[in-house]
Every structure is written in structure tokens, then in C-alpha cells.
Amino acid sequence: MALTTTLSVMADAVQRTADVVAFTDKHPLTRIYDLINQGLGALSRLCRTTNPEFQPIASTNIATDGTNTLFALPADFRSLISVEYTSDGRKSWLIPYEMHERADLTSPEVTASAVRPVRYKVIGTNIELLPLPPANQSALVWYATSVTQLSLAGT
């Protein structure tokens, strides 16, 4: 038995099962797709609620350019787990900052003398690394993913 399936295969199984009660005569295929996605979302929320360790995770690598502190997060980002920063072959974990600390982290004295960022903050769909990271370094961002809605494109 395959552990992966497509939305159309699931919809076909729903239709075959529901034909016993004339379900498919009452609901168009698009409604069946919506119901399947709602059910998968509810199952995901239930699993995360009963066992917080159950969450799909992913990572993305951010390459610094020496001019930006704000970097876009992936579209499937739900919540941050950790940020691992690599500078001159040395890895370290960045820690989050509070908004009231931002002024100190962006002051000219700190920016001029900083050799790498030490703090981060998720701001909307972006992550900010402070102080300004130099060029050609990287941050590995580990995050929990959001549930991806199935589509007809074979996913």
C-alpha cells in the first residue's frame, strides 16, 4: 500500500464509497476536494494538539549579502524552531530579540564593530538577523511547515 496519494485518487475513493447514499449526486467534485482538504487539515491540527512533537519540519539556507538584515521565509513556513549561523566555519545558535532591543542591535557603534549577527526576529513573512550580517555567510533556518493543501497537480 502506498503511503502517498493524490487528491483525485482520494476523491475517486470518496465518490465510490458515497455512491451508496447518492452523495455524489448532491455534491460536485470541487466540494469533495474541499472536504478532503478540510479533513486533512483537521487531522494535522489534532495530531499536533495531542502530540506537539508531531509536526512536519523543514529547513532553508539563507545566504547573506552584507547589505540586508531582512530575509524572506519560505511559503510553507508556520513557526520557527531554530536558527544556526555559520561564520568562518564556526556554527552557533542565534537567539531571538525583543522589539525594544532592536535599537541597540542597529546602532552605528554595534553595526560597525559586529562581525556576525547574534539575534533574530520573525517579522511577518521575513526573518531579521541583527546586527547586520557580513557577506558570504549563511544561516540555516529550521521551521515547522504549514499543512499543504492538495491540488489536482498530482500532489
Side-chain angles (χ1 to χ4, degrees):
M1 184 173 119
L3 294 177
T4 58
T5 188
T6 65
L7 182 58
S8 58
V9 168
M10 292 175 80
D12 181 59
V14 167
Q15 284 179 313
R16 279 187 281 115
T17 304
D19 275 342
V20 175
V21 292
F23 179 84
T24 54
D25 294 339
K26 299 175 188 172
H27 300 281
L29 195 55
T30 54
R31 177 70 177 137
I32 293 171
Y33 292 158
D34 289 342
L35 292 171
I36 290 170
N37 278 309
Q38 288 173 14
L40 291 173
L43 177 62
S44 175
R45 284 188 299 279
L46 178 66
C47 290
R48 284 195 316 269
T49 301
T50 58
N51 183 2
E53 292 296 316
F54 176 83
Q55 58 182 349
I57 64 170
S59 65
T60 187
N61 203 7
I62 295 173
T64 61
D65 59 10
T67 58
N68 293 307
T69 60
L70 208 58
F71 303 91
L73 290 166
D76 65 345
F77 177 87
R78 186 172 56 85
S79 62
L80 188 69
I81 296 172
S82 65
V83 181
E84 180 182 312
Y85 190 79
T86 304
S87 171
D88 300 323
R90 191 180 119 231
K91 293 182 180 181
S92 60
W93 297 105
L94 300 187
I95 56 176
Y97 72 84
E98 299 293 328
M99 259 341 246
H100 68 273
E101 299 172 306
R102 190 174 189 287
D104 289 337
L105 292 167
T106 57
S107 70
E109 305 84 42
V110 171
T111 303
S113 63
V115 293
R116 64 181 207 75
V118 292
R119 303 289 193 108
Y120 72 84
K121 183 162 190 68
V122 174
I123 302 172
T125 58
N126 298 300
I127 186 168
E128 184 172 44
L129 307 179
L130 291 177
L132 175 69
N136 303 319
Q137 295 183 358
S138 65
L140 180 63
V141 176
W142 286 97
Y143 63 96
T145 63
S146 56
V147 177
T148 304
Q149 191 170 29
L150 296 176
S151 69
L152 288 176
T155 58

